[in-house]
Amino acid sequence: MAREKVYKIAVLGASGKGNYGHHLDTAFQEIDKAIITAIGDRNKDGLTQKGVQLNCNNLYTDLEKLYNEHEIDITCVCPGWVTERVDMIKLAANHGSNIYCEKPLAGTLEEVDQIVDTCEKQNVTLAMAHQWRAMPSIENTINKVKLKKYGNILRITARPKDDSRGGGEEFLLHGSHLFDIMIEIAGKPRWVSSFISKNRISANNKDKTIGTQPVGPILGDTIYAMIGFDNGVVGNFISNANLVGEKNPNLDGLGVYGLTIETEQNVIIMREPGEVYIYPLPAVLPDYKMTWERQLVQPWHSEQGKSIEDLKITNSWIKYGNKILAADLIESIEFDREPKSSLDNAKYINEIVQGAYESHFAKGERQLIPLKNRVHPLL
C-alpha cells in the first residue's frame, strides 16, 4: 500500500511590512497531510521569531535560496501588504509551488494579470484566504442559494465595516471577502457602474491616497458601486466611512459588515464570524411581524446554538477558516478541481474595483468586464 503524500509547506512573511497576515502561517500546522518545511522573511529578527513559533529550523532571508534547497508543494504567501505579495506569488509559482494567499490578491489589474499568467503557465493552483466564506453556516447558505432553495436571486448588497477605513480602503480590503461570495453566488460580473465621493463632494483624481495598509491606490470616503451579473442579478457595494465610533457608539468593531441577499422568497443576511439569518419574505416588512431565523450548522454551532467563538475554543474563527481552506486546497490539488476561493474569482474582484474607479471618472458610465484598460485610473 502506497504511503499517503505529505505536502511540504513554505511560509513567506514580511515582518514590519504586513507580517504574516491573518494567521496564514499556521494554516497547515494541524493538517495531517502537511508539514512546515521552510520559512522565508527578509527581516532576520522576524524570521528567527517565526521559526521558534512554528518550530521550524529551515529559515531564509533569501527567498530564492529557499526554493533552490527545498521542493515545496504549497506556499503560504502571508504578508498583509500587497506591496510584498506579488513577487512572492510569482517566485513560488515559478518554482512549481501551489499557493495559499492572503487577501486581496493584488492592488492593480496589471499585477493580477501577471499573477494569473504565471500560475497558468506553471500549472499551479492558487487559493485565496477568504476565511469567512469557509464557515459552515455561510458555505451551507451559499450552496442553498445556488440551488435556488429560496427562489431566484434578485439582488445582493455588500456592506464593509465602515470604520475609519470606509470608502476606498475597504473597497478592496474587505470587499475581497464580500465580492468573492457575490461572485460565487451570481457568477462572473459583466459590468460595473459607480459614484465615489469625499466629504460629500464627487471625488476627483487629486483626492487619491493610500490606506493604513497598502491595498493599491484608493479614492473616496463614500462609495456606491453597482455590479451587473447574468439573469438580471444586480450586486451593490455601499460604504460610508466613520459609521463606527462617535456617530454610532452601539456598533462594535464589526460595524455594519455583512452581505444581504434578496431572493424571490427571502431576505438572507450573512454576518461575521459565521452567522446567517433568514427572513421569510422577499423584503423586511415590520408590519408583518415576521421573525428572523438563525441558521445553525455544525460543527460551527453546538446543539445549543453556541458558536465556536462563543465556546472560546482555542482557534479563532479566522484560524478555523484557514484550516478548512488549507485542507480544501490539498483536496483540490489531488482531485484537479478549483479550490473554494479560487484565483478565477479573485481576478474578478479586482476587475470590479478597478472598473468602479473607471466608471466614476466616466460619470457613472458602465464599464464592461473584463476591462479593456488594464492600467489603474488612479496611477
Side-chain angles (χ1 to χ4, degrees), residues 156-374:
I156 308 170
T157 300
R159 300 285 302 272
K161 293 185 177 182
D162 278 350
D163 52 23
S164 61
R165 299 168 294 178
E169 184 169 353
E170 283 204 290
F171 199 16
L172 187 54
L173 181 66
H174 292 133
S176 188
H177 286 288
L178 296 159
F179 291 132
D180 174 63
I181 294 178
M182 194 181 289
I183 293 165
E184 185 67 29
I185 290 171
K188 296 177 181 179
R190 302 302 182 182
W191 55 265
V192 60
S193 173
S194 75
F195 173 74
I196 303 171
S197 62
K198 182 176 182 180
N199 298 326
R200 298 183 178 274
I201 299 171
S202 181
N204 59 52
N205 203 281
K206 293 180 181 179
D207 295 317
K208 67 184 179 182
T209 185
I210 58 173
T212 54
Q213 66 183 81
V215 288
I218 61 175
L219 180 72
D221 56 24
T222 298
I223 291 177
Y224 184 94
M226 180 182 293
I227 306 104
F229 297 92
D230 289 337
N231 302 312
V233 177
V234 174
N236 301 297
F237 178 90
I238 304 168
S239 179
N240 305 87
N242 300 312
L243 291 188
V244 175
E246 292 181 5
K247 294 177 183 176
N248 292 288
N250 291 327
L251 279 176
D252 60 19
L254 178 57
V256 298
Y257 190 100
L259 201 70
T260 301
I261 305 164
E262 297 176 64
T263 73
E264 294 172 318
Q265 299 168 10
N266 301 91
V267 178
I268 304 163
I269 293 184
M270 297 177 174
R271 292 276 288 167
E272 279 189 358
E275 304 301 323
V276 177
Y277 302 87
I278 298 181
Y279 189 79
L281 291 174
V284 179
L285 305 169
D287 49 317
Y288 274 73
K289 296 182 174 59
M290 297 292 188
T291 58
W292 292 88
E293 180 184 351
R294 183 179 176 217
Q295 303 299 292
L296 302 179
V297 179
Q298 295 175 353
W300 174 251
H301 297 104
S302 70
E303 292 181 1
Q304 293 76 33
K306 295 281 188 178
S307 71
I308 282 181
E309 290 287 287
D310 296 330
L311 296 171
K312 300 187 185 305
I313 289 177
T314 304
N315 288 338
S316 70
W317 73 270
I318 291 179
K319 289 184 177 180
Y320 185 86
N322 278 329
K323 301 302 179 193
I324 294 172
L325 295 176
D328 178 73
L329 175 55
I330 288 176
E331 187 177 296
S332 73
I333 294 167
E334 292 179 342
F335 290 93
D336 192 25
R337 64 162 174 81
E338 287 289 284
K340 289 183 186 294
S341 193
S342 67
L343 176 59
D344 193 53
N345 277 19
K347 70 182 181 184
Y348 283 109
I349 293 168
N350 281 80
E351 295 272 6
I352 289 171
V353 171
Q354 195 160 312
Y357 287 126
E358 289 274 9
S359 173
H360 173 71
F361 290 126
K363 298 182 178 180
E365 181 180 331
R366 287 184 183 179
Q367 303 298 305
L368 299 181
I369 295 175
L371 301 177
K372 287 184 179 180
N373 179 21
R374 312 305 283 181

